[in-house]
Amino acid sequence: MGLFFKDLKDDLSESVNNLPDDTNKASDDSDDVMVNTLDDPELAKMAEAFKMEAQEYDMSEDTSSPETDMGNVSDKDETKEDIKNAAENPEYIADETAVITEGLSIKGDLDSLGSIDLFGSVEGNVTCRGKLTVSGSITGSSKANEFFANDAQVDGDIEAKGAVKIGQGTVVVGNITATSAVIGGAVKGDIDVHGPVIIDSSAIISGDIKSKSVQINNGATIDGRCSQCYADVNMESIFDIKGKKNK
């Protein structure tokens, strides 16, 4: 009996001693399973695809940035070149408007390819290819495609290819040359217009007026000569009484 228990004890001890080996083996087997999972062909294929996409994205960023920068520089150079070439064309008018704010005073000439809205003051000549709108003051000559003044002070000649409008409250000391004109303010100078002229009731003019036609509203004050020398009328033929009698 004692021999039986001794053998049983030995068997149990041997079994207990073998347990850590089995546990380690199980752990090794688990590790093997994890490794085998990572080595799965489908997962490896997906990982490789993601890696290739990431490399292609990095390469595209590295190569596209310089090209984009060069493209922007090229576009800027092309824009400057276009503006330079357009400026050489005297008929070109830029689609832009420069604004001289009310609190801004400029000493010097202004030259714009577009239009100018002037609310401040300028001591110098102002030239623009678009419309010159003045609600401030100019001490110097003005040249534009169109000239509009409202409650402004202008000390200098005004020349426009198109219309000139001198609004109420505006004082101009200088000559006016244009294709058509509407005068509602005060002008001290000659007005030379190859088209129609409208003298509003609030107008005060000290100077001669030459135009194709003139409309003087009741209340306007004019100190000067008014001539429609550009009218489509042959004065000599109308008043050639002797010639008519001989016929």
Side-chain angles (χ1 to χ4, degrees), residues 172-176 183 185-193 197 199 203-211 214 216 220-228:
V172 176
V173 179
N175 300 324
I176 296 176
I183 310 297
V187 177
K188 185 178 182 180
D190 296 334
I191 299 174
D192 190 348
V193 176
V197 173
I199 310 298
I204 300 174
I205 300 174
S206 177
D208 298 337
I209 301 173
K210 292 193 298 182
S211 64
V214 63
I216 303 174
T221 302
I222 301 175
D223 182 11
R225 299 178 58 188
C226 185
S227 170
Q228 283 68 63

Side-chain angles (χ1 to χ4, degrees), residues 23-37:
T23 303
N24 292 336
K25 184 177 180 181
S27 176
D28 293 341
D29 292 341
S30 299
D31 293 341
D32 291 342
V33 171
M34 292 178 65
V35 171
N36 291 337
T37 302

Side-chain angles (χ1 to χ4, degrees), residues 132 134 138 140-144 146-149 154-160 163-166 170-178 187 190 192:
L132 176 56
V134 183
I138 298 176
S141 63
S142 302
K143 186 176 181 180
E146 294 180 309
F147 184 94
F148 290 178
V154 180
D155 186 2
D157 295 339
I158 298 172
E159 181 181 350
V164 168
K165 181 179 179 181
I166 307 300
T170 299
V171 177
V172 176
V173 179
N175 300 324
I176 296 176
T177 304
V187 177
D190 296 334
D192 190 348

Side-chain angles (χ1 to χ4, degrees), residues 12-246:
L12 290 173
S13 298
E14 184 178 358
S15 300
V16 170
N17 291 333
N18 290 333
L19 283 176
D21 294 335
D22 293 340
T23 303
N24 292 336
K25 184 177 180 181
S27 176
D28 293 341
D29 292 341
S30 299
D31 293 341
D32 291 342
V33 171
M34 292 178 65
V35 171
N36 291 337
T37 302
L38 292 176
D39 290 339
D40 185 272
E42 294 296 331
L43 295 176
K45 186 176 179 181
M46 292 174 62
E48 187 65 22
F50 286 133
K51 183 178 179 181
M52 292 180 64
E53 289 181 2
Q55 291 176 349
E56 290 176 357
Y57 177 77
D58 293 338
M59 291 177 64
S60 64
E61 274 195 337
D62 294 339
T63 56
S64 63
S65 295
E67 292 178 0
T68 303
D69 294 340
M70 290 297 293
N72 291 336
V73 172
S74 177
D75 292 341
K76 290 180 180 178
D77 292 340
E78 185 177 355
T79 302
K80 291 181 179 178
E81 190 66 23
D82 291 342
I83 294 175
K84 183 178 179 181
N85 293 334
E88 295 177 356
N89 180 7
E91 301 299 327
Y92 171 76
I93 300 176
D95 186 17
E96 60 184 17
T97 302
V99 179
I100 310 300
T101 58
E102 185 176 357
L104 182 60
S105 298
I106 298 176
K107 292 184 178 180
D109 298 340
L110 289 181
D111 192 352
S112 173
L113 296 177
S115 301
I116 297 177
D117 289 347
L118 198 157
F119 299 95
S121 62
V122 176
E123 294 183 15
N125 301 325
V126 180
T127 303
C128 71
R129 295 189 180 182
K131 181 192 294 184
L132 176 56
T133 304
V134 183
S135 294
S137 64
I138 298 176
T139 303
S141 63
S142 302
K143 186 176 181 180
N145 189 51
E146 294 180 309
F147 184 94
F148 290 178
N150 186 35
D151 198 19
Q153 309 292 318
V154 180
D155 186 2
D157 295 339
I158 298 172
E159 181 181 350
K161 293 182 178 180
V164 168
K165 181 179 179 181
I166 307 300
Q168 189 173 359
T170 299
V171 177
V172 176
V173 179
N175 300 324
I176 296 176
T177 304
T179 303
S180 63
V182 177
I183 310 297
V187 177
K188 185 178 182 180
D190 296 334
I191 299 174
D192 190 348
V193 176
H194 286 256
V197 173
I198 298 176
I199 310 298
D200 205 356
S201 59
S202 59
I204 300 174
I205 300 174
S206 177
D208 298 337
I209 301 173
K210 292 193 298 182
S211 64
K212 184 176 182 179
S213 64
V214 63
Q215 174 183 324
I216 303 174
N217 294 339
N218 188 26
T221 302
I222 301 175
D223 182 11
R225 299 178 58 188
C226 185
S227 170
Q228 283 68 63
C229 57
Y230 302 123
D232 298 327
V233 177
N234 191 337
M235 296 292 184
E236 293 182 0
S237 63
I238 292 176
F239 296 104
D240 187 9
I241 300 176
K242 294 181 179 179
K244 291 180 179 179
K245 287 182 178 181
N246 293 332

